Amino acid sequence: MRNLIAANWKMHKTRAEARDLARALADALAAAPASPSAEVVLFPPFTAFEAVREGLGEAKIGFGGQDVYPAESGAFTGEISPGMLLDAGCSWVLTGHSERRHILGESSVLVGEKTAFALKQGLCVILCVGESLAEREAGRLEDVLQAQLADGLANVPAEAVSPESFSVYVERLDERGEVLLLPKTWMALDDREPSRGYVSVLAAYPAD
């Protein structure tokens, strides 16, 4: 299994700032010891895609979208399609990030639709799962992860999932309620729902 190093820039960086940071990252990677098993992926704002491409030059660093809508085109104000991301040079996309779930009210069912459609359209997907502080304090961690994984993978055929195209990231909370992004976990689908055993493994990650 290859290693993946991903950086989500969220709502940060103008085009000039994004270009400079991408160039600095490319230079740093070029000077670092070779690590052929690790893939580096950036998730800049949509407005900075072209600037990031310019800054990266020939560096072997990928980039992707922070979100996607499950349709090829249409009257979906403010949204972006998989085709648009691919056309901009993206190879990856995030789905189900905690901020989209908890701040913007995105449901796990919608996250699942985005995940399946993005994979079908040729993007590699990072599906984010994780509990809110209230859910953890209520002792619902495993139930939350089970539901998020089940909905997130509901329409994803087993053959569409591989270590090259799909990852699950667990966003856990520390004691202050701040999000910790834990190491990548990859899962193979051998049935329609993730097993309780798998969810227990995710839940066993320390939250501090």
Side-chain angles (χ1 to χ4, degrees), residues 67-199:
D67 189 40
V68 68
Y69 194 78
E72 293 183 7
S73 61
F76 306 106
T77 301
E79 299 294 342
I80 193 164
S81 71
M84 292 173 177
L85 294 177
L86 291 165
D87 184 59
C90 295
S91 53
W92 286 86
V93 70
L94 300 176
T95 61
H97 193 279
S98 61
E99 290 154 3
R100 298 204 62 85
R101 293 179 187 268
H102 303 149
I103 298 175
L104 302 177
E106 207 164 274
S107 71
S108 291
V109 172
L110 177 57
V111 170
E113 293 172 354
K114 291 181 176 187
T115 300
F117 194 75
L119 284 168
K120 182 179 179 181
Q121 296 298 307
L123 285 165
C124 298
V125 176
I126 294 177
L127 168 62
C128 304
V129 299
E131 83 283 18
S132 68
L133 180 60
E135 289 165 339
R136 177 155 64 89
E137 290 178 340
R140 297 182 53 228
L141 172 58
E142 288 200 23
D143 288 338
V144 169
L145 294 181
Q146 176 77 19
Q148 288 182 355
L149 284 169
D151 288 340
L153 301 172
N155 298 308
V156 178
E159 61 271 16
V161 178
S162 73
E164 286 70 40
S165 65
F166 184 80
S167 299
V168 175
Y169 273 81
V170 189
E171 297 176 283
R172 294 297 313 280
L173 299 173
D174 63 17
E175 293 303 321
R176 296 166 296 179
E178 297 180 357
V179 172
L180 300 172
L181 190 62
L182 298 176
K184 180 187 73 171
T185 305
W186 176 77
M187 63 180 296
L189 299 181
D190 52 12
D191 51 34
R192 297 310 303 169
E193 289 193 1
S195 68
R196 274 283 174 181
Y198 179 78
V199 175

Side-chain angles (χ1 to χ4, degrees), residues 1-114:
M1 186 194 318
R2 67 184 179 181
N3 296 314
L4 182 65
I5 303 171
N8 179 13
W9 293 6
K10 305 191 178 186
M11 199 174 70
H12 297 289
K13 305 301 178 187
T14 63
R15 288 179 297 168
E17 291 169 343
R19 184 182 301 107
D20 291 344
L21 180 55
R23 185 175 295 121
L25 289 170
D27 291 343
L29 186 62
S35 181
S37 63
E39 180 174 358
V40 179
V41 184
L42 309 178
F43 293 93
F46 298 143
T47 55
F49 285 163
E50 184 175 356
V52 167
R53 289 182 69 173
E54 293 174 3
L56 292 178
E58 298 301 316
K60 294 187 180 301
I61 299 177
F63 65 95
Q66 298 178 16
D67 189 40
V68 68
Y69 194 78
E72 293 183 7
S73 61
F76 306 106
T77 301
E79 299 294 342
I80 193 164
S81 71
M84 292 173 177
L85 294 177
L86 291 165
D87 184 59
C90 295
S91 53
W92 286 86
V93 70
L94 300 176
T95 61
H97 193 279
S98 61
E99 290 154 3
R100 298 204 62 85
R101 293 179 187 268
H102 303 149
I103 298 175
L104 302 177
E106 207 164 274
S107 71
S108 291
V109 172
L110 177 57
V111 170
E113 293 172 354
K114 291 181 176 187

